Amino acid sequence: MNEKVSQTLKSAETEDWLDYHVVRPFSYLWALLFARLGIHPNTVTILSMIIGAGSCLWFAHGSYYYEGVQGLLFNIVAILLLCLADVLDCTDGQLARMTGKKSRLGRILDGMAGFTWFIPIYLALVYRFYLHHDLEFGWLGLDDTSQNVLIATAVVLVAAVISGFAGISGQQRLADYYIQVHLYFLKGEKGSELDNSRQQQAILNGMTADTPWIERTFQKSYVGYTQKQEAATPQLQRLLDLLHQRYGTADQIPQQVRNQFHDYSLPLIKWNGLLTFNFRSMWLFLFCLLDVPLEFFLFEIIVMGLLTKYINCRHEAFCKKLCNGLNNA
């Protein structure tokens, strides 16, 4: 990778293969363009949200089996739009690091981007199932009656809600947290964007009546976001508290301890990358092109859910081991 591109990344260790070799270099070119035009990173994030959410209009169409060549083209357009949204979502961070225009609001917006894309997309897929369900009904031996369609669509809606909130929301929230924790031990406080709910609550409490309502709303949402990250990682919180009490800032943590954490964390970061956009979306695209988007919800709930549980358990186990080692030292 070009050295100039590398300088705009958080760390090569936290990038998966596709991001590092394809998406990030492409995003760098967009960042150069936006920097020359004087466009703020937050504007790029919002543009990413609009394009990603807008792709739902094309995802709502059946693919080749149901709508022929036109349906296939609509699904390809949806895929390209969502990929563009992802490129722009990567661009905003590179642009912020390139121009020094980092902001708390930018961090909050960046964490919300994926969720903003997938809420309308998942609802569009439920509507798509309502219109096109011959394959699933054929496999299950169901008659295509209005009653069966309504019941089946309600079941798919429940699956979409579980997939969206327990799936993409919870899984990507945890994946982002593990990336920031890894960077915290690798690069220190300045090299990561690791936030905690106490700090974010204090920021919210410090906002006045003059603070724009949208900023207060985003901040309140981000407090909940960080609280859920911490609730899912009790052993990690125990480790961070112990290190803070003993050493203060991340930069004062002994290098041996940081190396220990890094050696445990790095193998999991590779698995963690499967919880982010590229791997997840590859399956979304495949199931949509095959005209069985319902199966994507099941894949996300079962397969991605088990993967998340594995990563979480492994991470918690080595944090507990490090805590016990520090207490016995």
Side-chain angles (χ1 to χ4, degrees), residues 79-257:
I79 290 169
L80 292 176
L81 286 174
L82 190 53
C83 288
L84 175 59
D86 178 58
V87 168
L88 292 176
D89 187 47
C90 293
T91 299
D92 60 5
Q94 289 176 262
L95 179 62
R97 286 183 284 275
M98 182 187 298
T99 60
K101 294 180 179 179
K102 297 181 180 180
S103 67
R104 176 168 44 83
L105 180 59
R107 168 69 177 140
I108 295 171
L109 286 172
D110 191 53
M112 294 177 61
F115 202 44
T116 304
W117 302 338
F118 283 101
I119 288 177
I121 290 174
Y122 284 17
L123 292 176
L125 295 181
V126 174
Y127 175 70
R128 173 174 170 164
F129 177 84
Y130 173 76
L131 296 177
H132 305 299
H133 44 260
D134 292 354
L135 285 171
E136 288 87 353
F137 273 37
W139 296 335
L140 297 173
L142 295 175
D143 294 329
D144 192 3
T145 64
S146 58
Q147 183 178 20
N148 284 344
V149 170
L150 288 175
I151 293 172
T153 303
V155 172
V156 173
L157 178 60
V158 171
V161 170
I162 296 172
S163 182
F165 285 94
I168 187 169
S169 177
Q171 293 163 8
Q172 291 199 331
R173 180 174 60 235
L174 190 64
D176 178 65
Y177 193 49
Y178 284 148
I179 288 171
Q180 298 308 327
V181 170
H182 186 84
L183 292 172
Y184 178 81
F185 282 89
L186 179 66
K187 294 189 169 185
E189 293 180 3
K190 292 183 179 179
S192 76
E193 296 173 341
L194 182 63
D195 295 321
N196 66 65
S197 60
R198 294 186 297 275
Q199 292 171 339
Q200 298 308 311
Q201 184 65 52
I203 292 171
L204 178 62
N205 293 341
M207 290 182 172
T208 66
D210 295 331
T211 304
W213 69 269
I214 192 167
E215 187 173 348
R216 290 200 302 272
T217 301
F218 278 130
Q219 184 61 32
K220 186 175 181 179
S221 172
Y222 194 55
V223 170
Y225 183 87
T226 54
Q227 287 174 338
K228 289 174 182 175
Q229 288 176 324
E230 292 164 359
T233 56
Q235 294 300 326
L236 172 58
Q237 302 314 308
R238 179 184 165 216
L239 175 62
L240 291 174
D241 288 343
L242 178 60
L243 292 173
H244 179 72
Q245 292 169 10
R246 188 168 295 187
Y247 304 111
T249 66
D251 297 331
Q252 294 174 317
I253 297 173
Q255 190 61 46
Q256 180 183 359
V257 176

Side-chain angles (χ1 to χ4, degrees), residues 310-328:
Y310 168 76
I311 294 169
N312 183 227
C313 289
R314 284 278 307 275
H315 204 281
E316 286 289 279
F318 80 68
C319 286
K320 182 177 181 180
K321 183 176 181 178
L322 285 174
C323 276
N324 293 339
L326 287 169
N327 285 326
N328 294 331

